[in-house]
Amino acid sequence: MSHRIYLLPPWLRIWHWTNAALMIVLAVTGASLHFADPGLYLVPFSLAAKFHDIAGVALLVAYGFFVLANIVTGNWWQYVPKPPGVLARCWKQIVFYGWGIFWGAPHPYPPTKEANFNALQAIVYWVIMYVVVPTVILTGVVFLFPDLAPAKVFGLDGLLPVAMLHYLAGAAVILFMLAHIYLGTTGVRPTSLFKMMITGWHEE
Amino acid sequence: MRSASPSLFAAFALALFAAALGAANAADVKGAAPTDPALIEKIRTSNAECYACHTEAGLKNPPRADMDLAALAKTIHDPKQFDGSNHTGMECKICHGQGYVAFPHAPEAKKAISECGECHATKALRVETQFKDSVHAKNLADKFTCQTCHDPHVYKVAVKVGDPRKIVAQDNAMCVDCHNSDLRYASFSAVLPTKKVRPDLYATHDFLPNARLHWSAVRCIECHTPMSPVKSLATSHEILGKDKSEKACVTCHSQDSALATRLYRFSAANVGTDLGFANASVLGSAYVVGATRHPLIDRAVIALFGLTVAGLLGHGAVRIVMAFFRRRRTS
């Protein structure tokens, strides 16, 4: 029987899957809007616009809950990479993904109740959740209320920089999501980390 | 719309008259505002006689005591607006005729007001062929004239307005003057065999996300006129009802956006081109999702996406192969 520890409280798991579902809807509809073309098989524009708006507002609410819950429960501390040796630990983690994992080496920093995330995870999650996602949300809010955007920036419509930021930050979230889902297969078994996100129990 | 053909003879006669008057007077008939100072002064003096009554100032202080102020109130104009219109520099009497020279004006003077086609004969012919297929011709026929939409004292063609936002404001005002006014709409629908109640604009456009934003950024005719591959025919007078009008968002919201040949056909094409955006002329006054994209940035994002997917799949494939060999070795 393998060793199990209870890591993830229900609120975190519910938020995670809500966030995941919304992100997928936003990614698919967002790409359909940005790359809109009569010749491409994308979500029809008006439908995509409607779903993108609804999912965007829902994401804002979910994000607000995430921030509040992190403060209340103290979970925010997990996202802070703890010195000393943060970079060295990140490097060790990168070497594991680039080499050790192929040879069956054990995870260099398995999660504990005190430290859910390895240093690389903490840094990447922190940047995504506290820099990139808020950028997408804030620029999305301006998109919903375009009057909030400046009228002109360097002679061009003021919504342009907002839109570019929204697009690029959205693309960064999608790239993160791909890597995040893939790294979900690197548990003891390919499915164990997905199971952990459902049950809350981490298996070693 | 009244037929232009009865007016063709008048146009011909007027053209001969204009030719006889010489180049200085040609501007009275059609084209650019006059440049001859003596002629400008003559027109100014002549128009000042009309403005003495037909302005707000004239209505407040009528120069004569025996005037029908209720009738006058319906025929006042803003000289500033007129000077900003297409017809700036024209003498009022060019269209309003001799019946308006003396006061009281001749009882039949109104009937002698020149029709648009008398000067704009070529345009009138083109407009008529478009108009006869429009929803307005179908429902209102002769009750619908050029002036129903285009107030000749105010109207300015898009190419002269320039700023797309101002073009939109001017052109949409023509539509909503009736389509957002129960009173005006009822006065037109009264001639129909079955009286029509004005449809609520928000209800008829409920499929359109951000309807209010669209109405301030694009003209009604962007969707309510047919598309034409001929650039000069991009703006048509064939106004389409809701069944035939454009509902495909991607007509504008795509890299091959119709906006470039419609609303933005007169906008400087070089706005933002040095930054490499598609539909760069639009960027001067709007960001249009799907249209104002940057092909290079798009390619970079798609390439990053492809590389990430390929990298992850490759990593996964190596893991599977290595795990297979490890299992074989241990067994």
Side-chain angles (χ1 to χ4, degrees):
Chain A
M1 182 72 187
S2 58
H3 177 63
R4 290 169 92 222
I5 48 167
Y6 186 69
L7 277 185
L8 305 168
W11 74 263
L12 194 61
R13 285 175 278 144
I14 291 168
W15 165 79
H16 175 269
W17 290 114
T18 309
N19 194 57
L22 291 173
M23 287 291 190
I24 290 167
V25 171
L26 287 161
V28 172
T29 53
S32 299
L33 293 170
H34 184 82
F35 296 102
D37 190 285
L40 294 177
Y41 292 102
L42 301 163
V43 182
F45 196 92
S46 64
L47 195 71
K50 207 173 281 175
F51 274 91
H52 201 77
D53 284 358
I54 295 169
V57 173
L59 185 81
L60 170 70
V61 174
Y63 186 76
F65 169 78
F66 170 78
V67 172
L68 272 179
N70 263 317
I71 295 168
V72 172
T73 62
N75 188 59
W76 63 273
W77 184 241
Q78 296 285 355
Y79 293 84
V80 181
K82 325 280 185 303
V86 174
L87 287 180
R89 275 181 283 142
C90 282
W91 179 245
K92 204 168 171 188
Q93 192 69 36
I94 291 167
V95 170
F96 167 72
Y97 287 135
W99 186 254
I101 194 167
F102 300 127
W103 304 96
H107 277 261
Y109 303 105
T112 62
K113 261 188 171 319
E114 294 71 35
N116 281 3
F117 306 139
N118 61 58
L120 187 67
Q121 245 179 331
I123 290 174
V124 174
Y125 286 10
W126 189 88
V127 170
I128 291 292
M129 288 317 297
Y130 291 105
V131 179
V132 184
V133 170
T135 305
V136 181
I137 292 176
L138 282 177
T139 50
V141 170
V142 179
F143 244 130
L144 272 182
F145 304 99
D147 290 342
L148 294 174
K152 293 265 178 200
V153 173
F154 300 120
L156 300 175
D157 189 73
L159 200 56
L160 176 67
V162 177
M164 292 306 289
L165 213 54
H166 189 74
Y167 169 45
L168 294 176
V173 173
I174 292 172
L175 294 183
F176 163 78
M177 219 157 56
L178 290 174
H180 184 64
I181 295 167
Y182 172 72
L183 290 175
T185 66
T186 59
V188 195
R189 278 180 300 280
T191 53
S192 23
L193 293 178
F194 293 100
K195 271 188 195 157
M196 173 188 76
M197 272 325 299
I198 297 167
T199 61
W201 287 90
H202 180 264
E203 214 176 317
E204 281 170 31
Chain B
M1 179 178 267
R2 266 178 248 153
S3 164
S5 43
S7 316
L8 283 179
F9 176 73
F12 181 62
L14 206 64
L16 281 179
F17 182 55
L21 282 177
N25 275 8
D28 285 8
V29 181
K30 197 182 175 212
T35 49
D36 176 24
L39 180 62
I40 291 172
E41 196 45 46
K42 182 187 152 266
I43 293 170
R44 194 173 288 157
T45 314
S46 166
N47 286 359
E49 285 174 17
C50 306
Y51 288 148
C53 301
H54 292 279
T55 54
E56 256 192 69
L59 184 65
K60 277 180 194 156
N61 297 304
R64 291 171 63 129
D66 59 339
M67 298 178 80
D68 178 356
L69 295 184
L72 178 64
K74 288 179 192 162
T75 57
I76 59 167
H77 299 289
D78 181 351
K80 272 189 194 148
Q81 246 183 351
F82 181 70
D83 287 342
S85 79
N86 262 3
H87 291 127
T88 181
M90 267 181 71
E91 199 176 350
C92 305
K93 284 161 198 163
I94 290 286
C95 296
H96 288 278
Q98 289 302 308
Y100 286 98
V101 174
F103 186 84
H105 303 321
E108 298 294 293
K110 203 171 179 183
K111 285 184 185 163
I113 296 177
S114 302
E115 285 187 19
C116 307
E118 285 179 25
C119 291
H120 303 282
T122 321
K123 194 174 266 182
L125 283 173
R126 194 180 69 207
V127 167
E128 254 182 41
T129 45
Q130 296 168 348
F131 175 77
K132 70 178 170 47
D133 293 328
S134 77
V135 68
H136 291 136
K138 197 179 127 209
N139 290 335
L140 298 163
D142 285 350
K143 196 172 162 62
F144 208 92
T145 67
C146 304
Q147 289 98 318
T148 307
C149 302
H150 303 281
D151 182 345
H153 309 100
V154 176
Y155 182 69
K156 202 171 181 179
V157 286
V159 66
K160 288 185 184 167
V161 176
D163 180 354
R165 293 275 170 172
K166 286 184 183 160
I167 297 174
V168 170
Q170 173 190 262
D171 288 13
N172 287 0
M174 293 184 221
C175 307
V176 297
D177 267 357
C178 290
H179 288 275
N180 206 23
S181 158
D182 288 329
L183 201 69
R184 286 266 292 166
Y185 195 88
S187 77
F188 279 96
S189 73
V191 297
L192 297 175
T194 46
K195 204 177 163 226
K196 219 175 151 192
V197 178
R198 184 181 71 82
D200 177 65
L201 288 180
Y202 282 99
T204 49
H205 292 87
D206 60 352
F207 68 95
L208 187 67
N210 286 330
R212 193 182 278 275
L213 186 68
H214 275 97
W215 295 336
S216 68
V218 286
R219 297 170 299 183
C220 307
I221 59 164
E222 250 54 83
C223 301
H224 287 276
T225 54
M227 294 290 158
S228 171
V230 183
K231 204 178 168 187
S232 62
L233 296 177
T235 312
S236 172
H237 282 75
E238 185 187 339
I239 308 297
L240 304 172
K242 64 174 179 179
D243 301 332
K244 286 186 185 168
S245 57
E246 186 61 65
K247 286 202 185 71
C249 311
V250 288
T251 303
C252 293
H253 289 279
S254 60
Q255 213 159 335
D256 190 21
S257 178
L259 286 173
T261 52
R262 293 195 143 215
L263 176 60
Y264 288 87
R265 63 191 275 229
F266 303 119
S267 298
N270 60 351
V271 177
T273 36
D274 38 356
L275 297 174
F277 279 89
N279 297 299
S281 60
V282 177
L283 273 178
S285 60
Y287 178 86
V288 180
V289 178
T292 43
R293 290 153 47 176
H294 198 293
L296 272 182
I297 296 177
D298 284 354
R299 258 178 249 161
V301 167
I302 292 168
L304 264 176
F305 183 87
L307 283 173
T308 307
V309 171
L312 295 175
L313 288 177
H315 192 274
V318 175
R319 270 172 65 205
I320 291 168
V321 171
M322 294 297 280
F324 173 75
F325 282 120
R326 279 205 310 275
R327 264 201 303 276
R328 253 182 59 166
R329 196 176 294 165
T330 46
S331 67

